[in-house]
Amino acid sequence: MATLFVDKVDPQSGTSLEIGSSGDTITIPSGATITNSGTSTGFGGVNTPAWSVSISANQSISASAYTKVQFDREEVDTDNAYDNSTNYRFTVPSGKGGKYFVASSLRNTSSNDFDAFYLNIKKNGSDYVFSSVRNEFRETVVTSCLINLSAGDYLEVFAYNGDSGSIDLSGSSDKPSGTHFSGYRIIE
């Protein structure tokens, strides 16, 4: 192995500079600093899959029951991993396991007091995290978490209405509503 000592390497005019060939490993030693004063591409990663969904119309939640929230309006679905018409769930695509940031909020449009209002995120059909509000009206319940997911794992959101009558979750046909569900994979 030989060492080349230079202060600057320039490509020929109108061409690109290439270091190494396909299959080579280029090593930056510990303690070295890379300074970029131009545009960089192909470095780091992206926070995908990512999704953000809401409901396009108010959804009724029966009294004293858990009901799956039917998030049917997609704002973002980078990997086509959210089912917005049948199962209303995010499923981790093949090769996309890892740590995910997940958040959801449910907005109750009812104007009467209610005893309990829960938001429950389920992983593979089992309870994972929930939040609640009690003895309030026109309230929004919100939760977020970091969760380890593997390919094929799925997430769904359920609402629980502890009131004696049905309530409605807020939906909107033309913009995200106070009832939404979103998440993204974290770059490690």
Side-chain angles (χ1 to χ4, degrees), residues 99-186:
K99 291 182 179 73
Y100 281 74
F101 175 80
V102 178
S104 186
S105 72
L106 305 177
R107 184 168 188 276
N108 170 19
T109 64
S110 175
S111 60
N112 25 324
D113 262 354
F114 54 90
D115 294 327
F117 183 34
Y118 300 131
L119 180 161
N120 189 346
I121 296 176
K122 292 189 176 196
K123 175 184 174 183
N124 300 329
S126 297
D127 294 347
Y128 188 78
V129 65
F130 77 93
S131 284
S132 66
V133 291
R134 294 179 176 272
N135 299 319
E136 298 290 337
F137 64 93
R138 299 185 64 82
E139 212 31 83
T140 300
V141 61
V142 178
T143 196
S144 63
C145 63
L146 289 175
I147 183 171
N148 284 316
L149 296 173
S150 299
D153 284 345
Y154 63 90
L155 300 175
E156 303 164 297
V157 175
F158 286 77
Y160 178 82
N161 167 17
D163 199 8
S164 59
S166 66
I167 61 170
D168 285 338
L169 299 180
S170 172
S172 174
S173 62
D174 63 344
K175 62 185 176 200
S177 66
T179 300
H180 75 274
F181 176 37
S182 60
Y184 57 87
R185 186 172 65 157
I186 297 171

